[in-house]
Each structure stands twice: as C-alpha cells, then as structure tokens.
Amino acid sequence: MEDSIEVILQDAGRVFPLSTPHPILSACTGALLAGLYGVWSLFAMPGCRKIPWRLKLLEGRTGHLADLGSGDGRLVFAASSAGFQCTGFEINSILVAYARSKALWTGVPPNQATFVKKDFWKTDLSSYNNVTAFLAPGVMELLGEKLLKELPDDARVIACRFPFPNWPHQSSAGSSLNETFAYDISAVRSHLRNAPNTAA
C-alpha cells in the first residue's frame, strides 16, 4: 500500500512539479500583482494634485470648504492648516480610512478636517462657500449645474486641470496639466444670464 502511495505522489510530482515554479503561473501572478499595484497607485496616490496652485486661488477667503473626490486628503489637510473648515467627500472607503487615520495621527481637529464616505452628487452643498474639484472632464458640465443650483452667491469654485464648459473663470494658476481655474458663482450666474443677449 505504501509503495502505491509513493508511485501516485511521484506521478503527481511529474505533472505538477513542486520544486520549480511553473512559468505560466509565475507570469499570471506577476501580471496580477502589477495590475493591483496600478489600481492602488491610481486611487491611493492621485497624480498631479498640486496643492499650492489651488490654495493660491483661495487666498483671502475663509469659511467652509468641500473637496469633491478628496482622495488621500492632501488638499483638505493643506486647506485646514490655512484656516478653512474642510469636508472631504470620497466614495473609496480605503482612502477615507487612510485620511481619517492621518488626521488622527497628525492631531488635526475634527472641526477643521472631516472625511466622509459619501456621494457628493446626493449631498446638498449649499452650506459651503468654497468648493474644490479634480474630476473627469465628462462630469464637469453636470457638476456645474448642481453647483449653480446649490451654492450661495459668494461661493468660489476651484477646478483642477479640467475647466467648467461655458463658465468664465476669474483667475487661473499653473499651466498645462497642473492648471487650476477659479470661478466666482455670482459672476458665473451673471454671465450665464446675459449670455443669450450677447449671442443675439
């Protein structure tokens, strides 16, 4: 009986050699790990989020700031240290947990920086007079409609990289992929009200 078990194990060893790695298995494992790293770097280390440009466009302003799609929270931390009361909206629970942990670790008071796992599309933003967004260009027009409905007249919106279509910006900073645009809601509303008259 013991001899037959040894023969079976030897046959299995010839089919699936355990001492040397299988090249296809190694390639698949490597591709999987590379893919996981790519996804992690995409969400955990958002690219081109240059904080100084956006804060420059908020100079002289105070109040409540909403960062839409706050990622790892770097803009919220920078803005809270500049005196804003910030809320970071993020739907990626890993990034929310990371930002909350960093806030706790660095001693940022909860009334200065809050991170919520919440869909900002379903949230009333009327209590914020400063909004920052680094989102895909395909959603900027829809986001503009939401902000025009909800934000107060004295609100300022900062868009990174992708401007709002049909909105006149008050100022901009940076260049190329790092360009950011500042919009004052009162000026945007006034422009859009007068736009049909100028076009006629």
Side-chain angles (χ1 to χ4, degrees), residues 71-191:
D72 60 5
R74 66 184 76 179
L75 183 124
V76 170
F77 290 121
S80 68
S81 67
F84 291 94
Q85 294 175 305
C86 305
T87 303
F89 290 91
E90 177 59 56
I91 58 171
N92 183 320
S93 50
I94 295 171
L95 294 177
V96 171
Y98 171 82
R100 286 176 179 168
S101 300
K102 185 176 178 182
L104 190 64
W105 179 261
T106 56
V108 178
N111 64 338
Q112 286 298 114
T114 304
F115 297 93
V116 293
K117 185 183 181 304
K118 203 170 186 182
D119 185 352
F120 66 79
W121 293 104
K122 299 175 182 174
T123 303
D124 180 10
L125 300 173
S126 60
S127 62
Y128 297 95
N129 62 329
N130 301 283
V131 174
T132 59
F134 182 11
L135 302 172
V139 303
M140 296 306 282
E141 185 172 0
L142 189 60
L143 177 61
E145 293 172 9
K146 174 180 173 59
L147 297 179
L148 283 173
K149 286 179 189 170
E150 297 177 5
L151 294 183
D153 255 357
D154 66 340
R156 173 165 286 186
V157 179
I158 308 296
C160 183
R161 191 182 294 178
F162 305 114
F164 288 94
N166 307 318
W167 281 25
H169 62 272
Q170 301 306 112
S171 56
S172 65
S175 61
S176 188
L177 294 179
N178 293 322
E179 189 168 10
T180 54
F181 307 89
Y183 304 90
D184 289 337
I185 289 295
S186 60
V188 172
R189 287 180 176 136
S190 175
H191 169 79

